[in-house]
Amino acid sequence: MAWAEGSGVNRKMIADGVMERVRIATRGSALALRQANMIAADLRASLPGLAVELVTISTTGDRNRADAISTLGDGVFVRSVEVALLDGRAEIAVHSAKDIPTSETDEPERLVLAAFPTRADPRDVLISGIGADFASLPPDARLGTGSPRRAAVAKHLRGDLEVTLIRGNVDTRLRKLGEGEYDAIVLAAAGLARLNLLDRVSEYLDPAVWIPAPGQGILAVQCLRGSPIEQLLAPLDDASARAAITAERAVLRTLGTGCRTPVGAYAMVEGSRLWLRGMLLSPDGSRREVAEQRGSITDAEALGCSLARALIGAADFYDAGTATP
């Protein structure tokens, strides 16, 4: 990530003493801390003299590691961090964009997603403990994932595999793989890159097949709406990342679903054009529908809504009223 030269307004806030310290709320996992530190480093580099501190927050998702995320509801890695903004313990929050709920009723009115930095690699990757790529995994191999989307894609492609739940942070999942609990696991390339663990990757999975989760590879930087911090964060916002996440979140919002449903959406941005590809699967992977939309980045929201409606129309296994396939 690279910041543009700090604006005069931001520098004046520092010089006038309006803002001397910024606190960043974050989860306490190694990956979350790394992501928050990336934002902190950019702030310090752009505005010398600004003190930046991290405030570590324990979330519902962190405290319930034995449960499937799909049983805990949406926002389990986000809500407690947002509370730290609302009650004044922090001025900025850093989230993985794919963790943020899309329902308008779930979005606190006082908060704003002020910046989406440049997107990292959105792909899923396979890490194999037996030196195989996905196609070469032996029948009945144990594949670990905590994602309904990844589980459904794996079952769709390889019904012979034993796809089982895995929870925990990246280091915990790698440890379980090393101890032989699983033959392979599926993780996000972006997280491994941020933790300098790409040497563990056995295979980068084709995003045309393993369509990523909406927002995968994108960070979301949040603050109080209308606060001086919003100006401070503006140079960090990447137009392509914002267009992509707008389209992808519109898919989820229109479907009326979240982490409980096997759905993927990935927007590729080239200049002023956007190509959006999405998929909807039954939980057992037996049925899969894919749709595409192309258009201008200025129509990102509409493209996402249109793609979701196309998926709903094609997937007769999907109940749009209950958002449960």
Side-chain angles (χ1 to χ4, degrees):
M1 270 179 279
W3 271 60
E5 190 68 24
S7 72
V9 173
N10 292 341
R11 292 188 182 280
K12 190 174 188 303
M13 286 193 291
I14 302 298
D16 292 349
V18 174
M19 188 178 303
E20 297 178 349
R21 179 185 68 163
V22 168
R23 295 165 297 177
I24 299 178
T26 174
R27 295 171 56 207
S29 71
L31 177 56
L33 291 171
R34 172 57 183 152
Q35 292 172 167
N37 273 310
M38 290 165 63
I39 302 301
D42 284 329
L43 284 168
R44 294 187 185 106
S46 177
L47 297 167
L50 179 68
V52 185
E53 303 172 6
L54 300 190
V55 178
T56 303
I57 306 295
S58 175
T59 70
T60 301
D62 297 315
R63 294 189 297 270
N64 295 274
R65 295 184 179 180
D67 299 320
I69 293 297
S70 58
T71 67
L72 299 177
D74 294 337
V76 296
F77 292 121
V78 173
R79 291 305 179 220
S80 298
V81 180
E82 289 181 329
V83 169
L85 292 180
L86 294 169
D87 67 16
R89 282 176 288 157
E91 291 74 40
I92 295 172
V94 177
H95 310 284
S96 292
K98 67 180 180 180
D99 291 337
I100 300 175
T102 57
S103 170
E104 293 181 0
T105 59
D106 289 337
E107 297 175 1
E109 292 184 1
R110 293 173 54 198
L111 301 180
V112 61
L113 297 173
F116 295 104
T118 303
R119 187 175 211 163
D121 190 338
R123 290 177 293 179
D124 289 325
V125 297
L126 183 81
I127 302 179
S128 172
I130 54 177
D133 59 18
F134 181 78
S136 302
L137 290 173
D140 300 320
R142 293 163 296 172
L143 180 71
T145 176
S147 159
R149 172 188 60 88
R150 291 171 180 156
V153 174
K155 293 173 184 177
H156 179 76
L157 298 173
R158 292 280 310 270
D160 58 300
L161 297 179
E162 181 185 343
V163 182
T164 58
L165 174 69
I166 187 171
R167 281 291 317 276
N169 299 325
V170 172
D171 55 346
T172 300
R173 298 187 189 200
L174 290 173
R175 176 180 55 78
K176 290 180 177 180
L177 175 67
E179 292 173 350
E181 291 187 38
Y182 304 88
D183 297 308
I185 57 177
V186 181
L187 297 173
L192 293 171
R194 290 166 181 153
L195 292 171
N196 297 313
L197 292 171
L198 287 178
D199 60 319
R200 301 295 302 272
V201 174
S202 303
E203 181 185 12
Y204 289 85
L205 299 169
D206 183 357
V209 178
W210 295 76
I211 298 177
Q216 188 158 302
I218 298 178
L219 297 182
V221 189
Q222 190 177 39
C223 67
L224 288 177
R225 190 181 302 276
S227 70
I229 296 292
E230 198 170 346
Q231 298 178 51
L232 190 71
L233 295 173
L236 188 55
D237 195 51
D238 179 76
S240 293
R242 182 169 286 275
I245 191 65
T246 298
E248 293 165 15
R249 284 171 61 81
V251 174
L252 280 186
R253 185 179 294 112
T254 305
L255 287 172
T257 186
C259 65
R260 295 180 296 277
T261 302
V263 57
Y266 174 40
M268 291 168 282
V269 177
E270 294 183 358
S272 63
R273 304 295 294 174
L274 183 147
W275 175 25
L276 178 64
R277 184 176 173 88
M279 70 176 179
L280 190 61
L281 303 98
S282 59
D284 64 2
S286 62
R287 306 173 75 177
R288 177 178 186 261
E289 293 293 341
V290 176
E292 295 183 359
Q293 291 285 327
R294 297 174 187 259
S296 169
I297 60 172
T298 60
D299 297 324
E301 178 86 18
L303 289 170
C305 294
S306 178
L307 183 140
R309 288 192 291 267
L311 287 174
I312 292 171
D316 58 6
F317 56 86
Y318 184 74
D319 185 343
T322 63
T324 304

